[in-house]
Amino acid sequence: MKRNVTLSFLVCAVVTVLSSCATSIPVVVTRPAELDLHGAKTVAVLPFQISNSRNYDSTGNTVIDVLNAIDYLMHDDDRNEVDSANYLTSELTSRLAGSPYLTLVDSNVVKAALENGKKAPVDAYLTGKIISFEYGTDSTERKEKVEPKERPKDDDQDYIGEKRKNEERERYVTYFKRWVRATVVYEVVDAKTNAVIGYRTKEISDTSAEQRDPVFLTSPFDLIDDNLSALVSQIVKDVQPYEETKYLSLLKDKDPELKTANQLAKEG
């Protein structure tokens, strides 16, 4: 039994060494679009819409909450949600404008045609909406030790007694963190048939780092900008071919031809 365990250990060690010594070659491959656009050559990005709900973020700070409440009453639409919708529209437009596979058509031309009951002068168009956008601030209280006060004389008996007393003190400190939850839907439509080529729903959520002062919390839009960027990248992959880097590994072997291939791979 001991001999079998030793043999197994040696086999695992050899496999590990071979794997660690393998030469990896980066290879860029082109993947087809996730959706079949039925040969579409022209595409348009219609402005992303926002939900009808408004969101009021309570921070726990009276002054800030009053200012937020005033801003909430004066504006019908939440600017964080508006910024998110505009970001999706502008980023998608920017990326598809430089596409080598599709020709981007101005969204206003397509929108005007649809509003007049005409067929869109484009092969396919992309439209989306933020159907929910919520955010808030949570607070947590934690006990923390109070640091002893510093005095110049360490041999002062009164100070030493006060220092020992302070070392045993604890206080409650409030920490704040912001959260965001949103749901975005988008679809690609065949302009000639009005058939929906693809429909997707994406849940987005994130939480900020803790702060002792809610003033320094990340804004809801800035908190999810990376998530929105990732969503844009996914939508682009849905409608056009994209490049992906794969890594191929050459396993070491005593065969002369494989040794030559391994050396050539190391030299690029």
Side-chain angles (χ1 to χ4, degrees), residues 5-166:
V5 172
T6 304
L7 181 60
S8 298
F9 174 78
L10 290 174
V11 171
C12 290
V14 170
V15 171
T16 301
V17 171
L18 288 176
S19 299
S20 62
C21 295
T23 301
S24 295
I25 306 173
V27 179
V28 178
V29 296
T30 301
R31 301 292 191 189
E34 301 290 339
L35 298 174
D36 182 4
L37 298 188
H38 308 299
K41 299 297 182 181
T42 56
V43 65
V45 179
L46 300 188
F48 273 66
Q49 304 298 304
I50 62 173
S51 65
N52 296 324
S53 61
R54 291 186 294 168
N55 191 88
Y56 167 52
D57 182 26
S58 175
T59 66
N61 184 302
T62 304
V63 176
I64 296 176
D65 284 348
V66 169
L67 294 176
N68 284 346
I70 294 174
D71 183 70
Y72 173 80
L73 293 173
M74 293 179 64
H75 298 84
D76 291 336
D77 299 325
D78 186 283
R79 63 172 172 265
N80 291 286
E81 184 177 355
V82 172
D83 288 344
S84 298
N86 290 339
Y87 176 87
L88 290 172
T89 304
S90 61
E91 279 297 300
L92 277 170
T93 302
S94 175
R95 295 199 195 183
L96 291 177
S99 171
Y101 306 100
L102 297 167
T103 299
L104 185 69
V105 177
D106 190 282
S107 61
N108 291 324
V109 176
V110 177
K111 186 178 179 181
L114 293 175
E115 289 176 346
N116 293 325
K118 299 179 180 179
K119 288 187 177 181
V122 70
D123 295 329
Y125 60 88
L126 192 150
T127 181
K129 181 177 182 178
I130 299 176
I131 60 174
S132 68
F133 193 93
E134 299 177 329
Y135 56 87
T137 305
D138 294 335
S139 61
T140 304
E141 287 191 341
R142 292 201 297 270
K143 283 185 179 181
E144 292 187 355
K145 288 184 179 180
V146 177
E147 293 294 331
K149 297 178 180 179
E150 295 295 334
R151 291 189 181 182
K153 295 182 180 181
D154 289 340
D155 58 348
D156 188 331
Q157 294 299 316
D158 292 337
Y159 166 65
I160 293 173
E162 182 181 345
K163 180 177 180 181
R164 289 175 178 172
K165 184 178 179 181
N166 282 340

